[in-house]
Structure formats: C-alpha cells, structure tokens
Amino acid sequence: MNKPTAIVTGVSRGLGKALAEGLTDAGWTVIGDGRTLTARQRGHVPGDITDSWHRGLLVETALETGRLDLLVNNAGILGPSPQPFLADYPDAELRRVFEVNVVAPLALTQLALPALRDHGGAVVNISSDAATGAYPGWGGYGAAKAAVEQLSNVLAAEEPKLRVWWVDPGDLRTQMHQEAFPGEDIGDRPLPESVVPALLDLLATRPASGRIKL
C-alpha cells in the first residue's frame, strides 16, 4: 500500500515495456496496458486505449493499490506506413491517429486526475521532435504530437499542484520507428532501455512542469 503506483500505456513493446520494467525494478507498482498483451499479468490489462471501458478498468485497477502517483501516456500509433504527404493523407487514417494519440490519452488523464491530485502526482506525455519539426511525410503524426504538447502545456497551467511533463525521448530502436522508415536499417538508434534512467531521474528530481528532451 505504500509503494507508488503508475499507469503506463503501451507496455507490449518498445519504450512502454522498457519503462514499465524500469519502474518495477525501482519499486513501483505498475499497471500497464497494451493491445497485443495476450493475458492479464503482473497487473497489466490487455486492451485498446481508445475503448472507454478499458480506460476505466485501467484506473480502477490502479486504485486497487490504494493510490495513483503517475500516469505515462505512451501508447500511440504512427499512421500509414510508408507515411504519406499531407496532400495524400487519408481522412480516416488521420482521425485514427488523433483518436489514439490525442483524444484517448486526454480521456484517460481526465479519469486519473482526481487520484493524481490526492497524491501530488505527475503526468508524463510521450512526445516527439516531429511535434516541432517540419519533416516531410510526418504531418499526421507530427500534428497529433503537437496537439499533445499543447494539451500538456495547458494542463500544466490548470493543474499547478501536479507535475506535467511532455517528454521527447529521441529516435529509438522501436517497431514504430522502423515503420516510419520501412526497409531501412535503424540499428544505429539506441534501444528504449537507454532512456529509462533519465525518466526515472525526472520522477526523482521533479523539475517544474514543461517540455523535456532526453
């Protein structure tokens, strides 16, 4: 009951998996979610973050520990691969990118806020340099991450007792990054585990809310 509790979305692989494991090793109770999880295990809850019932179950499961200290909105999708220019971007795909990357994380944050307020908690929204850079082909994903950054910025102003960080972890060797560069060798990118210490340090030092570049 005294261990801090975190919800981390998208723990099936990549950064979410690495962060969930790092937090667990650091003594946290982690409630994770993922679309490709095959069974509920180690507190993780299989499901799709765009499902309102699933979001409710995530928060309910976390609160069974007696507290909620951290929400990491990590789950996301790239969109079509290879990524199309905006002139050719399908409307339905763009809506899906925003639903997964923007609307669902905000809805989960809304559910988690009362418990986070009770414990002076923190929200970490995983962002990208695509939110601020003009990279051809990255218009859909980049626009969604730009929206995430502004939502984070406003949330920080509205919730001064919490910490809200929008974190750019840099290019990592993940499946999503591979989808962004189909057929290319991304072996030179660092593994997701490489940025976990910096994220743990962020939680330990609790700087002011804002954008963090790892």
Side-chain angles (χ1 to χ4, degrees), residues 13 47 49 56-57 65 68 93 107 109 118 132 162 166-167 174 176 192 204:
R13 59 177 183 259
I49 199 63
L57 180 60
T65 71
L68 180 58
E93 292 285 357
T109 302
D118 286 344
T132 58
L162 301 182
W166 41 113
V167 175
T174 64
M176 180 185 288

Side-chain angles (χ1 to χ4, degrees), residues 144-197:
K145 286 302 183 181
V148 167
E149 295 212 358
Q150 181 60 359
L151 286 176
S152 303
N153 197 16
V154 174
L155 182 66
E158 294 175 344
E159 301 286 344
K161 293 184 179 180
L162 301 182
R163 289 292 189 269
V164 182
W165 301 298
W166 41 113
V167 175
D168 173 8
D171 293 345
L172 300 174
R173 200 185 315 169
T174 64
Q175 181 174 322
M176 180 185 288
H177 201 74
Q178 183 65 76
E179 291 170 356
F181 299 97
E184 296 186 26
D185 182 5
I186 63 167
D188 60 331
R189 277 69 163 185
L191 291 169
E193 291 80 3
S194 66
V195 301
V196 170

Side-chain angles (χ1 to χ4, degrees), residues 20-138:
E21 292 173 350
L23 285 167
T24 299
D25 290 344
W28 287 67
T29 298
V30 177
I31 310 301
D33 95 311
R35 289 176 296 156
T36 60
L37 292 174
T38 57
R40 184 166 177 170
Q41 54 186 341
R42 295 199 315 169
H44 295 344
V45 183
D48 190 325
I49 199 63
T50 63
D51 183 335
S52 61
W53 181 87
H54 173 66
R55 293 193 298 266
L57 180 60
L58 267 179
V59 174
E60 178 183 319
T61 303
L63 293 182
E64 289 175 358
T65 71
R67 59 188 298 163
L68 180 58
D69 304 83
L70 172 66
L71 169 62
V72 181
N73 286 309
N74 165 76
I77 60 172
L78 177 70
S81 176
Q83 295 193 87
F85 279 20
L86 287 175
D88 304 310
Y89 213 104
D91 290 351
E93 292 285 357
L94 186 61
R95 290 188 180 94
R96 175 67 177 165
V97 167
F98 270 77
E99 183 69 27
V100 175
N101 294 337
V102 183
V103 178
L106 176 59
L108 180 60
T109 302
Q110 291 169 336
L111 290 178
L113 277 175
L116 290 170
R117 292 181 187 125
D118 286 344
H119 290 90
V123 177
V124 173
N125 290 324
I126 300 300
S127 187
S128 166
D129 60 354
T132 58
Y135 305 135
W138 288 78

